[in-house]
């Protein structure tokens, strides 16, 4: 987390320097409070042992040989209902019936294996379809759409899953934030959109575009 916040705030990844940079950042009060709490939680020692083991991830889907960008775009451009489009996408992705019930259950199942199930080229059209973004949306457009919390994206957990599918990372705030910083540094994501995504992840609340 220190490395992530240091990258966002352009300072050394030292707890004192990051904490000072957070306090003077041009962020909303809620985002500053959330970042400070996350930082203090990260540097506080955690007890060893105890607690229950994490639940195992869902079994890996076996995608159809026909899964490619053109097949996903063909589903989206069809005149079928959204439910039928999602059902067709689930078949292409090889999702189980249980995981195919809703867009949110599909995102959760895909997020657990996004890095191996989706190629970088597939991630954008798949997530655009799952989140009901516009078919011709860019990466920045889809990120802003997820941040808005519209439709199925109303909860923090679903937004994390959507980001995980889009960025092909684990569905955690740390991994999502880290990838956003990398994309911003590589100029693949505009700075204002990256800041919007980071604030959404830190606060755990949807953020509308400025």
């Amino acid at each position: 987390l220190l490395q992530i916040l240091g990258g966002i705030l352009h300072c050394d990844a030292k707890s004192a320097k990051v904490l000072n940079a957070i306090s003077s950042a041009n962020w909303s009060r809620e985002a500053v409070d959330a970042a400070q709490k996350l930082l203090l939680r990260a540097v506080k020692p955690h007890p060893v042992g105890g607690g229950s083991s994490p639940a195992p991830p869902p079994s890996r889907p076996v995608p159809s040989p026909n899964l490619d960008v053109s097949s996903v775009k063909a589903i989206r451009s069809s005149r079928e209902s959204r439910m039928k489009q999602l059902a067709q996408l689930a078949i292409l992705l090889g999702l189980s019936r249980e995981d195919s019930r809703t867009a949110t259950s599909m995102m959760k199942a895909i997020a657990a294996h996004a890095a191996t199930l989706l190629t970088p080229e597939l991630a954008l059209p798949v997530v655009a379809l799952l989140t009901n973004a516009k078919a011709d949306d860019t990466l920045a457009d889809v990120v802003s759409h997820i941040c808005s919390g519209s439709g199925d994206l109303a909860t923090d957990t679903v937004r994390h899953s959507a980001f995980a599918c889009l960025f092909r990372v684990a569905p955690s705030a740390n991994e999502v934030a880290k990838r956003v910083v990398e994309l911003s540094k590589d100029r693949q994501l505009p700075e204002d959109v990256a800041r919007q995504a980071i604030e959404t992840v830190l606060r755990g609340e949807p953020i509308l575009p400025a």
Side-chain angles (χ1 to χ4, degrees), residues 153-176:
L153 300 162
T155 68
D156 193 31
T157 300
V158 176
R159 287 191 297 275
H160 281 180
S161 293
F163 278 134
C165 297
L166 183 61
F167 299 144
R168 302 172 64 247
V169 299
S172 71
N174 282 1
E175 290 301 314
V176 169

Side-chain angles (χ1 to χ4, degrees), residues 83-152:
M83 290 301 296
K84 287 187 177 180
Q85 288 183 350
L86 290 176
Q88 292 170 356
L89 179 61
I91 292 171
L92 279 180
L93 292 168
L95 300 181
S96 68
R97 180 172 297 189
E98 181 69 16
D99 291 334
S100 306
R101 291 178 302 160
T102 64
T104 56
S105 64
M106 289 175 65
M107 280 187 274
K108 183 178 179 181
I110 296 166
H113 305 281
T116 54
L117 183 60
L118 300 177
T119 64
E121 295 76 21
L122 267 172
L124 181 59
V126 166
V127 174
L129 177 53
L130 285 170
T131 61
N132 207 24
K134 294 179 181 177
D136 57 350
D137 272 356
T138 64
L139 176 64
D141 293 330
V142 174
V143 170
S144 290
H145 177 66
I146 295 171
C147 290
S148 73
S150 62
D152 294 324

Side-chain angles (χ1 to χ4, degrees), residues 17-31:
K17 291 189 176 182
V18 172
L19 190 59
N20 183 60
I22 290 172
S23 301
S24 57
N26 185 25
W27 292 356
S28 68
R29 182 70 259 170
E30 292 89 349

